[in-house]
Amino acid sequence: MELSRRTAPGMGIPVMETSNPSQNLESILNRNTPATSIYQKSINLLDKLACIDGFEPYMTAMFDDGARDMKEGAPYLNPIQLLWDTFRQGTSLCVIYNALHPSELLDTSLDETKNILRQRKERVYRFVKACKETQAVRDEDLFTISELFKDDTNSFVKVLKTIEIVVDAVQSRGLLDTDRIAEKPSAKFAEAQLGPPQDNRERVVKEFVETERKYVQDLELLQGYMDELQRKNIISSDTIRYIFANLNSIVDFQRRFLVGIEPYVPKSPEEQHFGELFVSMKEGFMVYEPYCANYTRATKLCIAEQEALK
């Protein structure tokens, strides 16, 4: 049994003529799986954060037996939501920035007698402002307060990128204390290490997760193409909307679906509840309805705008 290779919805965008189209298509379908997904990036970041001076209280709170997802109220099942909720505290970001040893430290305390959410957002603002003023992060790589508090993985990807840049700067200065942790916190979340499959089931699971990773990568590539069209005003905003429809919603859903798959991959067959994942996310697949309904019109528009889209 082998799964069919999955390709990103082209939103009607026609394949441009090449000298050898079949060879080009084969190279696209068989390229290497992306080295890191949002799940893997979050795991790597989690281990680095544990080495930052002053971040211990947040790590303790993260892995407390009573720790609960702020959105669902359930135990954390993946590192993405865990980091998302931690960053939304605001003060955690200030601790990360302070690890750079700046000339002016950010306040990492909150007044429990005042509005907590307002204070958290104010701390987030100070973090973003400090990163901008000290040029620790380029303007185009900085997230906004609304992006951090939005329930959208498209926004979280930008948040993750900003914080990765700051933490990498801390690491490059030799300021990460790797001796402070006896066990990597990522051990709580099993990372999907895809070795050589030992039987048919493992081959199917390997094909499944690799296909989903590639699919998300393709969607993100298409999303970047859409953003470039907007930035450079190559075609009108109305045409972009008609061609790409709800692409951002599809990318968001597919990232969440992949995040749901990743923890099951290294587990035993008895613990790989892939069917349960499909059932729990069945409503989310309705995100493809607008895409399907829009496909014919999008295709015609792409053909009409083919010269500009090249």
Side-chain angles (χ1 to χ4, degrees), residues 231-266:
R231 276 195 292 268
K232 296 183 178 180
N233 295 315
I234 292 173
I235 54 178
S236 71
S237 57
D238 284 342
T239 301
I240 289 175
R241 187 170 67 253
Y242 289 137
I243 290 176
F244 295 95
N246 62 331
L247 175 60
N248 287 332
S249 297
I250 291 176
V251 177
D252 178 47
F253 170 72
Q254 286 300 152
R255 281 203 196 98
R256 294 176 190 271
F257 184 62
L258 178 57
V259 166
I261 292 171
E262 297 270 11
Y264 286 133
V265 174

Side-chain angles (χ1 to χ4, degrees), residues 120-175:
R120 285 177 174 175
K121 289 186 175 182
E122 194 269 338
R123 296 298 184 276
V124 174
Y125 168 76
R126 290 188 183 181
F127 167 81
V128 173
K129 183 172 180 285
C131 288
K132 180 182 177 69
E133 291 180 346
T134 61
Q135 298 182 333
V137 182
R138 296 181 305 174
D139 289 356
E140 59 266 32
D141 292 328
L142 278 171
F143 65 84
T144 64
I145 297 174
S146 61
E147 284 174 329
L148 176 58
F149 286 88
K150 190 182 296 182
D151 185 23
D152 184 340
T153 61
N154 293 306
S155 297
F156 182 70
V157 165
K158 191 166 184 180
V159 172
L160 198 62
K161 183 176 182 180
T162 300
I163 297 170
E164 281 179 325
I165 291 171
V166 176
V167 173
D168 286 347
V170 174
Q171 184 176 22
S172 68
R173 299 178 188 183
L175 300 174

Side-chain angles (χ1 to χ4, degrees), residues 5-270:
R5 293 196 180 275
R6 192 172 179 185
T7 54
M11 302 298 164
I13 296 176
V15 177
M16 304 307 176
E17 293 182 3
T18 62
S19 57
N20 195 338
S22 62
Q23 185 180 40
N24 288 344
L25 179 60
E26 187 66 19
S27 67
I28 290 172
L29 295 180
N30 292 303
R31 70 192 182 287
N32 292 331
T33 304
T36 52
S37 65
I38 186 176
Y39 187 93
Q40 294 162 312
K41 285 182 178 180
S42 296
I43 281 180
N44 293 338
L45 181 59
L46 198 59
D47 287 339
K48 290 182 180 181
L49 290 174
C51 301
I52 288 181
D53 184 32
F55 210 80
E56 299 91 337
Y58 300 99
M59 299 304 299
T60 301
M62 282 182 191
F63 296 105
D64 183 90
D65 290 337
R68 291 292 184 271
D69 183 327
M70 287 184 181
K71 181 183 177 185
E72 304 293 341
Y76 288 104
L77 300 178
N78 66 73
I80 292 92
Q81 194 61 49
L82 181 64
L83 288 174
W84 211 337
D85 287 347
T86 301
F87 296 152
R88 284 170 173 168
Q89 293 181 39
T91 52
S92 58
L93 298 178
C94 295
V95 170
I96 294 171
Y97 176 79
N98 289 345
L100 290 168
H101 293 181
S103 57
E104 185 176 344
L105 297 176
L106 299 180
D107 184 7
T108 60
S109 62
L110 294 177
D111 186 343
E112 297 295 332
T113 65
K114 297 180 180 179
N115 186 297
I116 296 297
L117 179 59
R118 184 179 300 169
Q119 289 183 81
R120 285 177 174 175
K121 289 186 175 182
E122 194 269 338
R123 296 298 184 276
V124 174
Y125 168 76
R126 290 188 183 181
F127 167 81
V128 173
K129 183 172 180 285
C131 288
K132 180 182 177 69
E133 291 180 346
T134 61
Q135 298 182 333
V137 182
R138 296 181 305 174
D139 289 356
E140 59 266 32
D141 292 328
L142 278 171
F143 65 84
T144 64
I145 297 174
S146 61
E147 284 174 329
L148 176 58
F149 286 88
K150 190 182 296 182
D151 185 23
D152 184 340
T153 61
N154 293 306
S155 297
F156 182 70
V157 165
K158 191 166 184 180
V159 172
L160 198 62
K161 183 176 182 180
T162 300
I163 297 170
E164 281 179 325
I165 291 171
V166 176
V167 173
D168 286 347
V170 174
Q171 184 176 22
S172 68
R173 299 178 188 183
L175 300 174
L176 283 187
D177 184 4
T178 55
D179 294 331
R180 70 170 54 247
I181 54 171
E183 182 183 11
K184 291 183 177 181
S186 61
K188 177 180 173 65
F189 304 104
E191 186 175 355
Q193 298 289 349
L194 300 175
Q198 302 301 310
D199 54 36
N200 283 338
R201 180 189 174 87
E202 287 191 9
R203 275 191 285 274
V204 171
V205 170
K206 185 174 187 289
E207 178 78 6
F208 179 34
V209 69
E210 285 186 346
T211 299
E212 290 302 318
R213 285 177 181 172
K214 289 175 183 176
Y215 181 54
V216 170
Q217 184 188 44
D218 287 345
L219 287 173
E220 291 174 340
L221 186 64
L222 190 60
Q223 195 177 39
Y225 177 68
M226 177 184 69
D227 291 342
E228 276 296 293
L229 291 176
Q230 291 174 324
R231 276 195 292 268
K232 296 183 178 180
N233 295 315
I234 292 173
I235 54 178
S236 71
S237 57
D238 284 342
T239 301
I240 289 175
R241 187 170 67 253
Y242 289 137
I243 290 176
F244 295 95
N246 62 331
L247 175 60
N248 287 332
S249 297
I250 291 176
V251 177
D252 178 47
F253 170 72
Q254 286 300 152
R255 281 203 196 98
R256 294 176 190 271
F257 184 62
L258 178 57
V259 166
I261 292 171
E262 297 270 11
Y264 286 133
V265 174
K267 294 186 177 183
S268 66
E270 294 76 21

